[in-house]
Each structure stands twice: as structure tokens, then as C-alpha cells.
Amino acid sequence: MLWGAAFGAVVVGCSAAEPGPAAPPTAGPLLSISQVCAGLFTDDGGKALERILESTEFQIRDEKRNPEVGVVARVMEDAYRSGAKIHYAPQPVCRIVGMGKAAYRPTANVMFTAYSKYDADPADLPGVTARRPRVWMQGKSVDVTFDCVSVRVGSTADVPLQVTAAFQEQWQASKGAAVLGQDYLAVTHSAALAVAKALECVNDGGLPARAQELPPPAVDADAGSAPNESPAP
């Protein structure tokens, strides 16, 4: 009987204080693209992001997804030095959020992944000799992969640190790859080159100074729409 009375008291207590709707994520001040993931998007890369997201002002919605270039480089370096544990290394993500458009907020991500001879796609396994950068494109996604030989990292030509910068736009209302494909490439190249320089890779990991000088990308014709589109608050 006491249990029943106590349960009734709990129910009454809950009904007296109905929770309201969840508050939207806290947004920071409006920023220029140079202030988002500082150091990753310079010159052509920054201008390309402005065109892609049709914004000149941006917000940080999650500080964990706002790493500056030095932080990304340290994560890649630590991953390489972890040896066989590289498979479990963190993958830093830079999330770029533009100003709201209708029901959705234009958003793009760049994720960084470290590989070595201990963890890689077998078809692209580092460990023989460092190779030229590789580019892959599918729909609203672009990957740029480079092999880094660096005294700072301890990586060698025989066992390089391999880094992939993977860009994905997550806004269906954008102009898409047919119009923005070169801008996608410019953003990804900018992020990859910034990390290569921060890692002190020999010859910048083979990355050229401009995205237009990258090797031709492998293109997947079966381009799908961008998933996980971000609703505007």
C-alpha cells in the first residue's frame, strides 16, 4: 500500500511539471569562413565554401566539430605513432554551417582519417613507397588522399602516414556537383594542403599549390543525394 501511495505521489509530481519543448542548440556569433576550423580554408578554399553554402557568415553549432589545423595535424600524428592501434584513432570532423535557407541550414563536413601499413584499404595500402595524391569524387563528396613523409611524425617513404580529407555537402537545395564540383575540390584540397603543411610533410605530401593541379579524380557516376541534411533551428 505504501508503494502504491508513493507511486501515486510520483505521478502527480510529474504531471505538475510537464517538460517544455527542447531548446534549440546554442549558436555562437556569426563568423567569417577564416574563423571556422581556423587554418583549414584559405584563399580559394574559403571562397569556394562561401559559394557552396551561399553564405559569407557562418556559425559554430558544436565546438567539438571546430578543430583548427594544428589540432587535426596532432591527431593524425598521434594516430600514426599508435602503430597497430591506428584503426581506433579519432577522425576529426570540421562542420561548416552557413546561414539558414528556408527549412534547412546549408552545411558541409570535412573529415580527416589517418592510415598506415596497419590500417588501409588493401587496394591503397601504404608501405611500399609513398605515392602521388589521389582524388575521388561521387556526387557531393570528394576525397583527397596524400602520403606524408615527415621527420616530425617519424613517417618514412617506405611506411608513410596516409591522410584522407573527405568533403561532403549536406544541403539538397544547393546547385550540386554539376555546378559546384570544382568548388568541392578546392575546399578539400585546401584542407588537405593545410594539414600537410602543419605535419611538415616533405614536398607537402605531393599536393600541388592549387586544386586545379591535382591529378584527375576517379569519378563514380552513381551519385546519390546528400544524406543527413541539417534542418535549420
Side-chain angles (χ1 to χ4, degrees):
M1 183 64 69
L2 291 176
W3 180 88
F7 180 79
V10 171
V11 171
V12 170
C14 288
S15 61
E18 288 293 330
T26 302
L30 298 180
L31 306 172
S32 69
I33 192 58
S34 65
Q35 296 173 290
V36 177
C37 301
L40 287 178
F41 310 114
T42 59
D43 302 328
D44 291 347
K47 294 173 184 176
L49 267 174
E50 291 180 341
R51 289 190 293 269
I52 292 167
L53 301 182
E54 297 181 8
S55 298
T56 56
E57 294 179 313
F58 303 84
Q59 289 183 324
I60 304 303
R61 313 295 292 184
D62 181 354
E63 281 294 343
K64 293 181 180 179
R65 295 189 176 188
N66 185 40
E68 54 96 10
V69 63
V71 170
V72 176
R74 284 193 294 275
V75 174
M76 299 294 97
E77 179 179 354
D78 290 345
Y80 180 85
R81 291 182 173 180
S82 71
K85 295 181 180 179
I86 193 170
H87 179 75
Y88 305 101
Q91 296 171 288
V93 175
C94 172
R95 189 170 181 83
I96 309 102
V97 181
M99 299 306 294
K101 306 286 184 181
Y104 288 95
R105 185 170 293 276
T107 303
N109 293 327
V110 181
M111 182 174 71
F112 302 87
T113 306
Y115 301 95
S116 74
K117 70 175 184 178
Y118 295 105
D119 184 28
D121 181 342
D124 200 35
L125 187 66
V128 180
T129 56
R131 295 186 292 154
R132 296 180 61 207
R134 283 82 73 198
V135 181
W136 176 85
M137 300 183 72
Q138 178 184 15
K140 297 181 179 182
S141 300
V142 175
D143 289 2
V144 171
T145 298
F146 64 92
D147 293 350
C148 176
V149 177
S150 168
V151 172
R152 165 184 161 168
V153 176
S155 55
T156 66
D158 289 337
V159 187
L161 161 64
Q162 185 182 97
V163 177
T164 294
F167 168 88
Q168 183 182 60
E169 185 190 22
Q170 296 183 326
W171 180 36
Q172 287 183 327
S174 79
K175 296 181 176 69
V179 174
L180 298 171
Q182 289 304 308
D183 284 332
Y184 297 161
L185 191 62
V187 171
T188 318
H189 167 265
S190 175
L193 183 59
V195 172
K197 288 183 178 295
L199 287 168
E200 301 175 16
C201 304
V202 172
N203 193 32
D204 294 334
L207 292 166
R210 303 180 64 200
Q212 295 91 325
E213 299 167 354
L214 283 165
V219 179
D220 191 324
D222 297 326
S225 61
N228 303 322
E229 187 164 325
S230 300

